[in-house]
Amino acid sequence: MVMKTVLWALARSLGAKRLLDRVFGIEPIVLMYHRFSEQPQAGFVHRAALERQLEFLHEHCNVISVAELNEGLRSKRRWDGRTPIAITIDDGYADVYEILYPLLRKFDLPATLFATSSFIDGCLWYWQDKLRYVLQETAARTLVPSFRADQQPISLHTEADRELAWHTLADHCHVLTVQEREQVIRDVAEKLRVEIPYSPPSEFRALTWSQLREMSRYRVDVGGHTMSHPRLSALTPEQAFAEVVGCKTSIEAALGQPSRFFAYPFGFATDCNEAAETAVSRAGFELAFVSYFDRRLYDNRMAVRRFGVGTGYWDFLKVVNGLKRANCIRKGSMAEMPGG
Ligand SMILES: [Zn+2]
């Protein structure tokens, strides 16, 4: 790991970055974050890793706001010099304020947060988090969910087992209707003998509007992420529009400024269809982001590609140095990233 980082630093100093830029051109890269933690934890970027990443961006990149990206795309700007990077964060958990925000200030960097308005209102506990909570709290060592036709038990012995179980359950729930999903979560909670509290416990709680207001006065722009975080592609066009415009209205009323940018919940290709793009555009959002990348980075302003960021520093360097983008353009392939 250390060796890889050293090798990349060496390649950089020998001009590998300039060569990549010459062959593939300089285009902005949009980073996507979700959650932050104090200590290393699966699915989170912990404070020390985040600080190292932001320090690198501060020193070696041209960190731009999504508004600057939007303007650059609109005017077909030719970018030169250091790679332009935009920082985005989805969902609106409290850890954005507690961990990311002080570091953004420390390195004087702009970012855009895509907020789920009902979550900030305190009326929503993400279903994915309910599943996580149940799996964390249970004393059971196996689970046989009712939907498993083979009745094969899922192991819950180790932390890795529980992580795998969460993925199995979340993948199943992802494509269900709200009612079907609630039924599955109730069934799992009952089988694992865990009572789900009415409001999310602290690990899963949202930012407050007052924290959002404070951040928006600094350099954190607040974009939309729907009202209740549904898969927009599963809704009727009118339902999708209500989710998108309702979120925009709430954010603008609470912050007293326009909310111009949007990110699709989950954000995979199957979660955001043409009707969803129409709803987002009709609601007045100027730029919308998905949660994966492929060679069509900026072809569609209603489906701009992003690169997910994890804790691994080598992987982070590959993203911000354009190596991932270059690989993806060369292969013409799509790379799915953790969902938004
Ligand atoms: Zn999300």
Side-chain angles (χ1 to χ4, degrees):
M1 169 64 193
V2 173
M3 182 55 79
K4 275 181 171 177
T5 308
V6 171
L7 283 176
W8 179 249
L10 190 66
R12 241 187 117 80
S13 67
L14 292 174
K17 168 80 172 65
R18 280 198 299 279
L19 184 66
L20 279 177
D21 289 345
R22 191 160 304 162
V23 175
F24 296 103
I26 297 180
E27 273 192 294
I29 287 169
V30 184
L31 304 181
M32 173 183 66
Y33 289 93
H34 285 92
R35 299 222 56 187
F36 309 96
S37 57
E38 290 293 347
Q39 300 301 329
Q41 189 177 341
F44 291 65
V45 179
H46 61 88
R47 185 187 286 274
L50 180 66
E51 182 157 11
R52 201 168 171 213
Q53 292 177 3
L54 297 188
E55 188 173 13
F56 182 93
L57 295 179
H58 172 71
E59 285 178 8
H60 299 287
C61 302
N62 169 25
V63 181
I64 59 173
S65 65
V66 167
E68 286 172 272
L69 170 70
N70 184 42
E71 182 53 32
L73 293 177
R74 205 185 52 74
S75 63
K76 297 193 167 46
R77 172 178 172 176
R78 274 182 63 85
W79 302 88
D80 49 27
R82 296 189 297 173
T83 311
I85 304 273
I87 299 171
T88 67
I89 314 103
D90 288 8
D91 300 330
Y93 287 97
D95 51 53
V96 173
Y97 182 80
E98 289 153 4
I99 297 174
L100 173 70
Y101 178 53
L103 291 173
L104 288 175
R105 294 195 69 138
K106 176 175 178 182
F107 295 108
D108 192 23
L109 299 173
T112 294
L113 170 74
F114 297 110
T116 307
S117 56
S118 296
F119 186 45
I120 312 294
D121 282 338
C123 308
L124 180 73
W125 183 1
Y126 291 122
W127 62 262
Q128 307 91 307
D129 291 342
K130 283 186 184 173
L131 283 175
R132 264 197 199 286
Y133 176 82
V134 170
L135 291 168
Q136 275 172 13
E137 293 298 309
T138 186
R141 290 292 168 257
T142 57
L143 166 69
V144 184
S146 302
F147 64 82
R148 283 279 282 240
D150 60 8
Q151 292 294 293
Q152 278 292 317
I154 298 175
S155 172
L156 303 176
H157 282 83
T158 65
E159 206 174 304
D161 287 342
R162 285 163 197 247
E163 186 63 21
L164 203 62
W166 179 81
H167 280 284
T168 304
L169 295 170
D171 286 349
H172 177 76
C173 286
H174 183 63
V175 291
L176 299 180
T177 64
V178 174
Q179 291 75 16
E180 290 167 340
R181 186 186 304 127
E182 274 173 7
Q183 180 56 48
V184 169
I185 294 172
R186 261 201 309 275
D187 168 63
V188 169
E190 216 167 88
K191 287 200 159 126
L192 296 182
R193 297 177 185 279
V194 175
E195 198 163 321
I196 301 176
Y198 181 74
S199 310
S202 67
E203 185 189 346
F204 304 110
R205 76 188 190 282
L207 287 159
T208 64
W209 286 113
S210 122
Q211 289 169 333
L212 274 178
R213 261 190 295 277
E214 179 188 334
M215 291 195 290
S216 71
R217 281 194 296 270
Y218 174 64
R219 302 185 71 189
V220 180
D221 190 27
V222 182
H225 198 46
T226 70
M227 287 162 64
S228 68
H229 207 273
R231 290 179 77 213
L232 287 179
S233 58
L235 305 183
T236 66
E238 280 317 306
Q239 287 170 332
F241 180 70
E243 276 282 347
V244 173
V245 81
C247 164
K248 192 174 195 295
T249 308
S250 293
I251 293 171
E252 292 180 345
L255 303 185
Q257 59 191 51
S259 180
R260 301 165 56 200
F261 311 115
F262 182 84
Y264 297 92
F266 308 104
F268 293 123
T270 50
D271 302 319
C272 21
N273 56 6
E274 228 179 287
E277 289 178 15
T278 305
V280 171
S281 167
R282 212 178 118 207
F285 285 110
E286 298 170 41
L287 210 58
F289 296 88
V290 295
S291 305
Y292 60 89
F293 67 90
D294 58 15
R295 60 190 311 159
R296 297 186 55 209
L297 285 179
Y298 301 105
D299 290 3
N300 178 357
R301 294 167 63 80
M302 285 298 117
V304 174
R305 278 39 171 173
R306 292 187 292 173
F307 293 81
V309 184
T311 297
Y313 194 57
W314 168 240
D315 206 51
F316 168 79
L317 288 181
K318 281 200 296 186
V319 169
V320 298
N321 281 311
L323 203 59
K324 273 212 169 167
R325 180 174 70 88
N327 272 339
C328 143
I329 291 171
R330 190 171 52 79
K331 291 181 192 159
S333 61
M334 175 193 279
E336 293 277 352
M337 306 299 290

